[in-house]
Amino acid sequence: MNPATDLQQPDVLISEVGPRDGLQSVQATMPTAHKLRWIAALHAAGVREIEVGSFVPAKLLPQLADTADVVAFARTLPGLTVMALVPNLRGAEAALAAGVHKLTVPVSASAAHSLANVRKTREQMVDEVRAIARLRDERAPGVRLEAGISTAFGCTLQGLVPEDEVIRLAAQCIAAGADESGLSDTVGYANPAQVRRLFRRLRAEIGSHAGAAHMHNTRGLGLANCLAAYEEGVRTFDSSLGGLDGCPYAPGASGNVVTEDLVFMFEAMGVATGIDIEKLVAAREPLQSGLPGEPVYGMTPDAGLPRGFVPGWQPPEAAAPAAEATEGGRTLPLAGIRVVEFTHMVMGPACGLVLADLGAEVIKVEPVEGDSTRRLLGSGAGFFPMFNRNKQSIALDLKQPAGIEAALRLIDGADIVVENFKGGVMERLGLGYAALRARNPRLIYVGHKGFLPGPYEHRTALDEVVQMMGGLAYMTGRPGDPLRAGTSINDIMGGLFGAIGAMAALARREKTGEGCEVQAALFENNVFLVGQHMLQYAVTGRPAAPMPARISAWAIYDVFAVKDNEQIFLAVVSDKQWAIFCRAFGFDDLAADARLATNNDRVRAREWLLPDLRQRLARHSADALAAVFEREGLPFAPITRPEQLFDDPHLIATGGLGAMRLPDGRTTSAPLLPLTLAGARLEVRSMPPAVGEHTEALLREAGYGDAALGALQAAAVIPGKAATES
């Protein structure tokens, strides 16, 4: 689930730094549980980037000793970019291991502050940025790296900081591998004219790499300085709920810009932040309860919102629904649910198909060369187009660490993972349920296997294998000639049961707040299908006979050969229907025969009754028989081949077939889910995707920039641009 995509795209990004920058400045240690409540409340208000802690030695900042645990929780919040401050390479290693989405490195423009804050010179900190960038590129190229230039506007330890040194330092950090470099007013020395001048120079020097404005309100100019930065093109602003903030190594550093006031200023201007102010103010409660007695600030919470206030941001119900979440103006039931699918063949893709048709955003992860199912011939030629509509495709080489990291970034923002690989494969990749649950306890993990855990789980299963060992092939074929069903019945129904389990797990998560593992399996699915025959034996004490040799529950329930070598299935399954049947065809003698008075009588008479009926009906055509049976309300069916269903008048009239584009560009139609919601069928909203069609867009959403994407393409972790467009 990714609520950030459900809201209007904000004009500015408010990056909340209170859980790190604020908590490091107070003497008390906020209990971890309160931190998690605070971060969850910020997220619920619409905050989509939070610096949740700092990876520094606990003896230096015991207030932040639980940062790894806080990161693990924050990663479960959909659409949230989880940041952490790292002062050195060791901190970066810990942060990347914890799974942060963004690293911030403090690089002080003041020589005195640099030594006091991180015990390194400015030049050494640039080298540290370079080492961290290399580590990031090796282990997690999708993680962004920001070098924040602190004391950029002056320093209480040093005084004036030359602007040339500020700009030079920012440029050196970008050259060292940082993705962005912003400016911080660590001690509240800045004024609007200086802010305009420095950010104008910064943008001229490093262009799109110019990052956030981190302003303090120490002397009452925080909002004015933010407005000045906005007018110079800055679109990301750090702030702290309640104004909680301060650097313990810079005397006089206090009073970060209050998030509530900053959001109000922009919203009052008609500049969208994506944040609900009332919910934001409510997020002060877990902050204050976790730090009782600690003063918090903010004019907006004290004064309240003006009468008739109209924010620049509109709540989701007032915004246009996302295209992928709606159909014909209605919201689909699984809109807002994100599914990452590691599947091939039929079973897993069938599960993803159901979830996608019901409105979930389903992302299919394929090898760079594409799912091998795309290339099947013969009976497998229809697998991919049938079971992969309404999905997006991302192509990743999961044999490379960078490919795994990209997959994890997708999963971090997901509600459901679907997979159907052989047991142990996902675990070896680091994508098994246990590993993913540790990162995201709210995740629902749907595994499709041949067998549920037990003595058979090591076996390789196919639909045909389990039909043979599960009694279905025996029931379908003639005695002594087991025959598999004519479609991938267990694969498809196994996928359906996987989807049912996923939706049940979503409902469970609403109650418990936790995800869980769901398992569906071919063999157990097949056993469920033949359960009626197992219970037949339990009730009667007699084994069920194969369908062609069965003792039917009804006398007339069979295929009849009729005029012109045609065939038709006819059924008469009650005493009332028997009377209608005899009357319709003028079989008065049969209606009067005492041996045929009841259904059970007719079952016992099948040996002589059916040959008699076959002879009587053989002179009629299939169409003539169908007309009588339809007129009289009796069960019947033409013997139809699958290709004839494209022209079925009922399917055409009721919209049971959806338009489909094949990989070669030809158009056709495909069956929709066999249900209606609110009186309407669930349509095909998007065609089966090309290999990796959505790779770049999805990775950009996950935080990958141009350089990171280029590196992934160069390493063949993702396909090149030409490949994704082919």
Side-chain angles (χ1 to χ4, degrees):
M1 189 173 182
N2 192 357
T5 63
D6 296 338
L7 306 178
Q8 175 181 330
Q9 187 68 26
D11 300 319
V12 296
L13 174 66
I14 306 298
S15 182
E16 173 64 43
V17 298
R20 190 279 301 177
D21 209 2
L23 295 185
Q24 74 175 16
S25 67
V26 299
Q27 293 300 313
T29 297
M30 178 184 278
T32 303
H34 286 274
K35 287 186 186 181
L36 304 188
R37 284 186 58 227
W38 182 21
I39 290 169
L42 290 166
H43 176 264
V47 178
R48 287 300 176 262
E49 184 170 284
I50 303 177
E51 191 174 49
V52 301
S54 177
F55 285 90
V56 297
K59 65 180 180 180
L60 294 179
L61 287 175
Q63 305 96 316
L64 303 179
D66 58 356
T67 294
D69 294 332
V70 177
V71 169
F73 169 77
R75 286 169 53 86
T76 70
L77 299 175
L80 179 66
T81 297
V82 181
M83 298 195 307
L85 181 137
V86 295
N88 50 39
L89 184 62
R90 179 178 297 178
E93 290 175 339
L96 292 175
V100 301
H101 302 144
K102 185 175 180 180
L103 302 169
T104 56
V105 182
V107 181
S108 182
S110 160
H113 181 260
S114 185
L115 292 173
N117 190 35
V118 294
R119 301 176 185 177
K120 288 183 173 66
T121 66
R122 294 173 297 179
E123 292 74 17
Q124 288 174 323
M125 282 307 298
V126 172
D127 289 339
E128 204 73 28
V129 170
R130 185 174 293 107
I132 292 171
R134 283 198 297 265
L135 178 72
R136 182 275 312 267
D137 291 343
E138 292 171 2
R139 297 190 182 179
V143 172
R144 291 189 65 77
L145 173 60
E146 177 183 10
I149 308 301
S150 54
T151 61
F153 300 90
C155 173
T156 50
L157 294 174
Q158 178 177 310
L160 178 68
V161 176
E163 293 183 1
D164 287 349
E165 293 186 17
V166 174
I167 302 304
R168 174 183 57 80
L169 199 58
Q172 288 177 341
C173 288
I174 297 302
D179 298 298
E180 56 187 279
S181 185
L183 304 181
S184 297
D185 181 24
T186 310
V187 294
Y189 273 22
N191 64 72
Q194 185 186 22
V195 169
R196 289 191 183 92
R197 185 169 61 249
L198 262 179
F199 270 105
R200 188 179 303 130
R201 290 190 60 183
L202 183 71
R203 291 172 66 81
E205 181 70 26
I206 63 176
S208 62
H209 296 289
H214 183 124
M215 298 297 163
H216 282 219
N217 199 41
T218 310
R219 292 169 177 79
L221 292 179
L223 290 180
N225 289 332
C226 286
L227 181 58
Y230 176 78
E231 291 171 345
E232 286 299 326
V234 176
R235 292 298 180 264
T236 301
F237 297 86
D238 295 352
S239 61
S240 178
L241 197 79
L244 197 67
D245 188 24
C247 174
Y249 304 106
S254 63
N256 200 348
V257 168
V258 177
T259 303
E260 303 93 299
D261 292 338
L262 183 64
V263 170
F264 173 73
M265 180 187 78
F266 280 126
E267 296 290 343
M269 294 167 54
V271 176
T273 65
I275 297 173
D276 184 321
I277 299 179
E278 293 182 353
K279 291 182 179 179
L280 185 67
V281 172
R284 292 162 69 99
E285 186 278 324
L287 164 61
Q288 292 175 292
S289 63
L291 292 174
E294 186 70 30
V296 294
Y297 305 94
M299 304 299 288
T300 301
D302 292 341
L305 297 176
R307 179 179 297 179
F309 175 71
V310 178
W313 167 77
Q314 294 296 321
E317 58 268 22
E324 67 274 15
T326 63
E327 182 178 276
R330 59 180 177 153
T331 299
L332 295 175
L334 295 185
I337 298 296
R338 170 172 277 195
V339 180
V340 179
E341 179 187 299
F342 298 85
T343 69
H344 60 154
M345 294 297 187
V346 174
M347 193 182 188
C351 175
L353 168 72
V354 173
L355 301 175
D357 279 9
L358 289 170
E361 177 195 17
V362 178
I363 300 169
K364 183 178 180 68
V365 180
E366 304 188 58
V368 173
E369 66 275 13
D371 179 357
S372 61
T373 309
R374 293 176 178 271
R375 299 182 288 277
L376 293 177
L377 301 176
S379 61
F383 287 176
F384 193 88
M386 176 63 205
F387 298 108
N388 289 284
R389 63 177 179 243
N390 293 335
K391 299 180 184 180
Q392 301 177 67
S393 169
I394 182 171
L396 298 172
D397 183 356
L398 297 180
K399 296 177 182 177
Q400 298 193 52
I404 296 295
E405 171 61 24
L408 290 172
R409 289 295 301 271
L410 289 177
I411 293 169
D412 287 343
D415 297 277
I416 301 171
V417 164
V418 175
E419 64 91 12
N420 72 323
F421 285 91
K422 188 175 180 180
V425 171
M426 296 294 280
E427 286 74 15
R428 286 194 295 273
L429 293 172
L431 300 174
Y433 174 63
L436 297 184
R437 185 184 186 281
R439 297 170 66 98
N440 182 359
R442 288 175 55 82
L443 185 69
I444 293 163
Y445 191 97
V446 185
H448 298 82
K449 303 301 178 187
F451 305 88
L452 292 180
Y456 296 164
E457 65 180 301
H458 66 282
R459 296 186 184 180
T460 300
L462 300 169
D463 205 319
E464 194 150 353
V465 168
V466 299
Q467 287 193 39
M468 295 294 173
M469 67 184 294
L472 184 58
Y474 172 82
M475 290 303 300
T476 303
R478 295 182 297 273
D481 185 20
L483 181 68
R484 69 156 286 169
T487 188
S488 304
I489 186 169
N490 285 297
D491 280 310
I492 296 169
M493 291 197 68
L496 296 181
F497 282 119
I500 291 170
M503 289 183 280
L506 286 172
R508 176 183 180 274
R509 191 177 72 176
E510 286 296 309
K511 298 179 176 70
T512 67
E514 295 184 351
C516 67
E517 184 176 17
V518 174
Q519 293 185 327
L522 290 172
F523 178 63
E524 283 76 7
N525 176 80
N526 186 95
V527 172
F528 186 81
L529 291 175
V530 301
Q532 65 192 75
H533 303 304
M534 296 168 64
L535 271 292
Q536 177 185 344
Y537 174 76
V539 171
T540 67
R542 298 174 182 173
M547 293 299 284
R550 74 198 182 286
I551 299 175
S552 175
W554 303 283
I556 297 91
Y557 195 82
D558 215 331
V559 175
F560 289 80
V562 295
K563 187 177 180 181
D564 299 327
N565 296 318
E566 293 182 311
Q567 291 179 308
I568 187 171
F569 173 81
L570 303 174
V572 179
V573 297
S574 70
D575 294 341
K576 181 179 179 180
Q577 288 185 5
W578 173 250
I580 293 172
F581 171 73
C582 290
R583 175 184 52 76
F585 288 95
F587 298 156
D588 296 342
D589 58 326
L590 297 180
D593 194 324
R595 296 173 299 171
L596 306 175
T598 68
N599 177 71
N600 287 348
D601 289 334
R602 292 187 293 276
V603 170
R604 284 188 283 267
R606 277 175 61 94
E607 187 174 350
W608 63 265
L609 176 59
L610 278 181
D612 184 19
L613 287 176
R614 293 187 191 283
Q615 185 174 3
R616 294 182 186 223
L617 296 174
R619 60 187 179 84
H620 298 280
S621 68
D623 287 344
L625 289 169
V628 173
F629 269 64
E630 183 157 22
R631 183 188 70 222
E632 300 294 343
L634 298 173
F636 76 98
I639 309 304
T640 302
R641 298 188 301 275
E643 67 271 17
Q644 295 174 311
L645 292 172
F646 288 112
D647 300 316
D648 184 276
H650 177 80
L651 293 175
I652 293 171
T654 60
L657 302 175
M660 180 72 70
R661 184 179 64 247
L662 297 174
D664 61 7
R666 290 180 297 130
T667 58
T668 185
S669 55
L672 302 178
L673 285 190
L675 56 86
T676 65
L677 277 179
R681 299 296 289 265
L682 297 164
E683 297 290 343
V684 177
R685 302 188 308 282
S686 63
M687 298 298 123
V691 178
E693 181 178 339
H694 306 93
T695 300
E696 182 174 336
L698 289 168
L699 290 180
R700 287 190 183 280
E701 182 183 337
Y704 288 77
D706 291 340
L709 289 172
L712 292 177
Q713 289 177 346
V717 174
I718 63 174
K721 191 172 182 62
T724 59
E725 292 177 348
S726 62

